[in-house]
Amino acid sequence: MSGQSLLVPGELSPTRSVPGNIRRPEYVGKPAPTPYTGPEVQTPETVEAMRTAGRIAARAMEEAAKLIAPGVTTDELDRVAHEYLCDHGAYPSTLGYRGFPKSLCSSVNEVICHGIPDSTVLRDGDIVNLDVTAYIGGVHGDNNATYLCGDVDEESRLLVERTREALNRAIKAVKPGRQINVIGRVIESYAKRFGYGVVRDFTGHGINSAFHSGLIIPHYDSPHATTVMQPGMTFTIEPMLTLGTHEYDMWEDGWTVVTKDRKRTAQFEHTLVVTDSGADILTLP
């Protein structure tokens, strides 16, 4: 594995502003969102609105990812995604969600998820996950992907490639009438072939007008995930695979989650809707 030194927190830039004409999610300015009490199955109109949000989120992530290179700060990636979202009438869902201070999550190397963009400078050989969610039309679209920065070692490159494949396999397992735990079963069985850890405490989730609806999508074979998938259900699948343990530590910022053994980790995510025959991805650019 790469011999990169471990990450340390950087300096935060001032909070970025969002034009006043862009609709905010209800949780902005509050300590927590109002619990979602609506259905997990969405109307066709809501699904199409989510497709619009998902497309904007996917394109914002692509725009930020174009800048990934040694010497670039994660804060600069946040700036690009923030401006793209605002320019297209969308609110960055993470900004102000339970106090999160930025418009995307940037999780580098040993960071499993929820890394905060700051003055951290990307280095040759890093891997960096960008997680972007757009809120527009009263709904959210959420996606993430892990990118290579410069010349990345083979072990890390394969981890990234196989994590993407784990997501693809999980999406293919989505079928109405199946229990949610088939998703985690597929991911876990694939990851075990390579000796990867599968993060258990951070999961996929229901999403619609709520950023997180309360529906949980584990990425391991959980006996408790017995909810039956139905056409019209909308949720994310976002496996986090590690080169070592699935256990984690949390930084003092209350957000940044790192592998306990500080080995590298990768993640990929799509928002999707269950259809009569499988799954339709809503976060395609």
Side-chain angles (χ1 to χ4, degrees):
M1 194 184 83
S2 169
Q4 298 281 45
S5 58
L6 297 179
L7 291 169
V8 295
E11 296 294 322
L12 285 181
S13 65
T15 302
R16 303 188 200 284
S17 63
V18 177
N21 63 324
I22 292 179
R23 179 179 173 185
R24 272 75 169 152
E26 59 83 23
Y27 53 75
V28 174
K30 296 164 54 178
T34 302
Y36 178 74
T37 56
E40 298 297 346
V41 173
Q42 304 304 311
T43 65
E45 292 76 18
T46 297
V47 170
E48 288 312 304
M50 290 179 64
R51 193 186 308 278
T52 297
R55 182 180 301 118
I56 292 172
R59 289 176 176 171
M61 185 173 72
E62 280 191 341
E63 287 303 305
K66 289 177 183 177
L67 270 72
I68 291 175
V72 175
T73 65
T74 55
D75 186 67
E76 181 68 2
L77 305 179
D78 180 79
R79 181 192 65 78
V80 170
H82 177 92
E83 291 179 357
Y84 186 94
L85 292 168
C86 292
D87 287 348
H88 290 80
Y91 186 91
S93 300
T94 59
L95 184 62
Y97 179 79
R98 297 183 181 272
F100 192 84
K102 292 295 174 182
S103 298
L104 58 70
C105 299
S106 55
S107 301
V108 180
N109 296 344
E110 69 269 19
V111 179
I112 295 171
C113 58
H114 303 159
I116 301 175
D118 58 18
S119 61
T120 296
V121 176
L122 295 178
R123 301 161 297 182
D124 187 55
D126 283 344
I127 60 174
V128 55
N129 178 274
L130 301 182
D131 193 334
V132 180
T133 309
Y135 178 77
I136 188 172
V139 296
H140 301 267
D142 185 5
N143 70 160
N144 77 55
T146 303
Y147 299 90
L148 309 182
C149 180
D151 185 17
V152 175
D153 68 273
E154 181 74 357
E155 185 179 37
S156 299
R157 189 187 63 75
L158 285 173
L159 173 69
V160 171
E161 182 181 299
R162 289 164 176 166
T163 305
R164 181 191 290 111
E165 176 63 16
L167 172 60
N168 292 339
R169 289 177 180 231
I171 291 171
K172 290 175 183 174
V174 171
K175 295 283 191 300
R178 290 181 173 177
Q179 292 183 344
I180 290 290
N181 58 10
V182 71
I183 294 169
R185 188 175 308 138
V186 165
I187 292 168
E188 188 173 41
S189 63
Y190 179 70
K192 279 184 174 178
R193 287 167 49 181
F194 310 105
Y196 295 154
V198 180
V199 172
R200 302 168 76 91
D201 292 280
F202 300 90
T203 68
H205 53 89
I207 183 171
N208 38 64
S209 60
F211 195 173
H212 300 86
S213 73
L215 177 66
I216 301 298
I217 312 295
H219 302 120
Y220 64 99
D221 188 2
S222 169
H224 306 295
T226 56
T227 300
V228 175
M229 291 182 266
Q230 304 173 57
M233 287 179 71
T234 49
F235 52 82
T236 71
I237 304 176
E238 44 189 299
M240 292 152 259
L241 305 186
T242 71
L243 289 176
T245 182
H246 68 271
E247 296 179 345
Y248 68 93
D249 291 323
M250 181 86 73
W251 280 7
E252 289 184 5
D253 61 26
W255 284 105
T256 307
V257 180
V258 295
T259 54
K260 187 170 281 291
D261 57 12
R262 303 302 191 265
K263 291 186 177 180
R264 288 187 168 189
T265 174
Q267 181 184 16
F268 284 84
E269 173 187 23
H270 275 306
T271 296
L272 53 88
V273 59
V274 181
T275 67
D276 290 334
S277 58
D280 184 10
I281 298 171
L282 301 178
T283 39
L284 294 176

